[in-house]
């Protein structure tokens, strides 16, 4: 457990990093951010991921415990030129921990339970967000709009034809069949979106 002065210093560092980096994070990033979380992520999925056919879930095993110190410092150094601040973060990462009255070095990861851990992991993981948004999405997104469902179109045309002939009841039944189908092809191979 860190002493209160270390916690105070870590909170000030978190406020500085959060003020600078939060605006640089992806708008689709919801983890460990102010006014964001599971509920905002679910709301985004509900409102924008219409017609989703596949969801691939991933989990970074031992995320906080396995982040590389050099990668964290280099990600910070891309935006922060103050060597004293970077050195302070490096010392925080390399501080180690006590177990059975023995000091153990920390070779990777951010301190578990530290106030700085979430922002440091978000800074590093924002590179993954940018890679997906700038490299992968342009490769896999294709098509302007989904093509129409042929069966839906056929039933709608049949219902219209029957209505013109005066067969309103038959037209109504066929229209009800058409309404059970999607008007566009949800499996259209010419239309793909990666989110």
């Amino acid at each position: 457990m860190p002493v209160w002065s270390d916690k105070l210093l870590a909170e000030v560092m978190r406020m500085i990093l959060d003020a600078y980096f939060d605006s640089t994070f992806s708008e689709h990033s919801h983890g460990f951010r102010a006014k964001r979380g599971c509920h905002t992520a679910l709301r985004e999925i509900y409102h924008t991921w219409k017609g989703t056919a596949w969801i691939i879930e991933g989990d970074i095993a031992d995320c906080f415990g396995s982040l590389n110190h050099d990668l964290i410092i280099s990600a910070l150094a891309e935006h922060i030129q103050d060597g004293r601040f970077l050195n302070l973060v490096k010392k925080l990462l390399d501080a180690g921990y006590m177990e059975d009255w023995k000091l153990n070095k920390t070779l990777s990861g951010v301190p578990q339970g530290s106030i700085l851990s979430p922002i440091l992991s978000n800074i590093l993981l924002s590179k993954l967000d940018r890679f997906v948004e700038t490299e992968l999405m342009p490769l896999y997104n294709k098509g302007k709009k989904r093509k129409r469902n042929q069966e839906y179109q056929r039933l709608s045309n049949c219902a219209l034809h029957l209505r013109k002939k005066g067969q309103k009841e038959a037209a109504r039944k066929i229209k009800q069949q058409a309404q059970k189908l999607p008007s566009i092809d949800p499996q259209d191979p010419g239309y793909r979106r990666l989110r």
Side-chain angles (χ1 to χ4, degrees), residues 1 7 34 79 101 104-105 107 124 138 144 161 166 171 173 184 189 192:
M1 294 291 293
K7 287 183 178 180
H79 300 274
W101 297 101
N104 296 293
K105 291 185 176 183
L107 304 174
L124 198 53
K144 296 269 187 224
H161 182 70
K173 286 182 180 179
I184 55 173
R192 291 286 180 257

Side-chain angles (χ1 to χ4, degrees), residues 43-61:
R43 194 174 304 120
E44 179 181 336
I45 290 168
Y46 179 77
H47 289 296
T48 60
W49 294 26
K50 305 287 184 191
T52 300
W54 290 84
I55 293 180
I56 301 171
E57 183 209 356
D59 186 18
I60 300 173

Side-chain angles (χ1 to χ4, degrees), residues 104-119:
N104 296 293
K105 291 185 176 183
T106 50
L107 304 174
S108 67
V110 290
Q112 295 293 319
S114 170
I115 297 167
L116 275 177
S117 298
I119 187 74

